[in-house]
Amino acid sequence: MKNHSLQTISSGHGYLEAPRWHDGRLWASDFFGKHVLHFEEDGSHTAFATLEESPSGLGFLQDGSVLVVLLDPTKKKVVRIAPDGSVSEYADIAHIARGMANDMLVSPSGHAYIGNFGFDLGAEDPKATTLAHVTPEGNVSRVEGDAIFPNGAALSADGRTLLLAETFGHRIDAFDVNADGSLTNFRVWAQLDESMHPDGIALDTEGGVWFGNGVTNGPESGFYRVEESGEITDSVLVPDAWAVACTFGGSDLDVLYMFCNATTLEQFGEGKSQGTVRTAQVNRRGVAQ
């Protein structure tokens, strides 16, 4: 297994999540700061929006709007930030989500796929839940396929497969993406060791999935690359923080951007975290999302 070194380009944040490379810059949600941020390649950053609730998953529509999942126990919703900065409700998934709404993938055609915790993290044993699918017309439906804490997602280069991190199922799942945006044929794509808790993911052009080994402190904390066979081929170790989520960015999509948060489950519940943005050259390119 190849191990790659990293560098820190930005620090002093709360809990960073949902890295997205869009329109030539890195985007992020800061749970505890309640900001949607964007970063330049040198790590300088700007608050794009500040919300009353904590932002989580991010996605983008062709009209320039930004979709944001609210990380709130009572509001299982997605809001839309219009190009003029106005904020409105986009979708309510309360009838589907069995826990707080969490991460989200928005396809180039505007279909949104939203996960949820499925249980009270830190207070209950893990329970299975399902994704919500929101069409561009605003129709909300349940996706068939139980997952224990569905988390980050990525689309294959041809747009026909959606890959999903199942954090407490210790695996990467897959769905077929149909012409109408619906997801079917739920299956295990790569089974991981029980020490692995995949959080946010990124797909490279050689078919490997990079994932943050979330909710983990210590020597196994880091970002790993897994192939469909289940083989781990690469790692970027982060022993001083949770390795939460990653994405490929830069002009050639050849830089792995990683969000790392120094916290514990107890501290997370108290709203305490020290978030950093780190990068690594892993000699691979990402699939544009």
Side-chain angles (χ1 to χ4, degrees), residues 73-77 91-99 101 132 140 142:
T74 62
K75 297 179 181 178
K76 300 169 184 178
K77 296 181 179 181
D92 189 329
I93 65 166
H95 62 294
I96 293 174
R98 300 170 190 164
V140 181
R142 184 187 307 276

Side-chain angles (χ1 to χ4, degrees), residues 54-285:
S54 295
S56 184
L58 299 176
F60 306 91
L61 299 179
Q62 292 183 353
D63 68 358
S65 299
V66 180
L67 299 185
V68 185
V69 177
L70 300 182
L71 188 75
D72 187 288
T74 62
K75 297 179 181 178
K76 300 169 184 178
K77 296 181 179 181
V78 179
V79 297
R80 172 181 174 264
I81 304 176
D84 65 4
S86 60
V87 180
S88 60
E89 181 176 319
Y90 185 77
D92 189 329
I93 65 166
H95 62 294
I96 293 174
R98 300 170 190 164
M100 285 197 292
N102 186 24
D103 215 338
M104 171 178 63
L105 183 147
V106 179
S107 74
S109 57
H111 290 269
Y113 308 98
I114 306 146
N116 65 92
F117 285 15
F119 61 98
D120 187 354
L121 182 63
E124 293 183 309
D125 291 335
K127 300 175 184 176
T129 188
T130 55
L131 297 180
H133 173 205
V134 182
T135 69
E137 297 75 30
N139 299 317
V140 181
S141 62
R142 184 187 307 276
V143 176
E144 294 300 321
D146 283 353
I148 303 176
F149 208 112
N151 218 320
L155 280 176
S156 60
D158 62 9
R160 296 179 179 178
T161 304
L162 183 144
L163 297 167
L164 175 71
E166 190 176 341
T167 301
F168 289 100
H170 315 288
R171 65 191 195 185
I172 306 296
D173 299 321
F175 294 90
D176 291 341
V177 182
N178 303 309
D180 63 356
S182 62
L183 302 181
T184 55
N185 191 24
F186 177 68
R187 59 198 182 275
V188 177
W189 187 84
Q191 184 65 55
L192 301 167
D193 184 82
E194 289 189 0
S195 64
M196 298 292 176
H197 301 84
D199 194 329
I201 65 173
L203 180 65
D204 66 40
T205 56
E206 297 176 38
V209 170
W210 294 79
F211 65 90
N213 187 18
V215 297
T216 300
N217 285 304
E220 291 185 320
S221 179
F223 296 86
Y224 295 84
R225 179 183 185 270
V226 64
E227 297 184 338
E228 190 170 3
S229 64
E231 179 184 0
I232 301 288
T233 64
D234 298 71
S235 65
V236 184
L237 298 180
V238 187
D240 62 341
W242 284 1
V244 173
C246 58
T247 192
F248 282 95
S251 57
D252 294 322
L253 295 181
D254 60 351
V255 178
L256 188 68
Y257 285 87
M258 298 162 287
F259 289 171
C260 307
N261 296 295
T263 189
T264 64
L265 274 178
E266 181 180 2
Q267 291 171 338
F268 180 85
E270 297 171 349
K272 298 177 181 178
S273 172
Q274 293 293 322
T276 56
V277 182
R278 304 181 187 187
T279 62
Q281 298 288 343
V282 295
N283 302 317
R284 300 180 195 271
R285 294 182 60 198

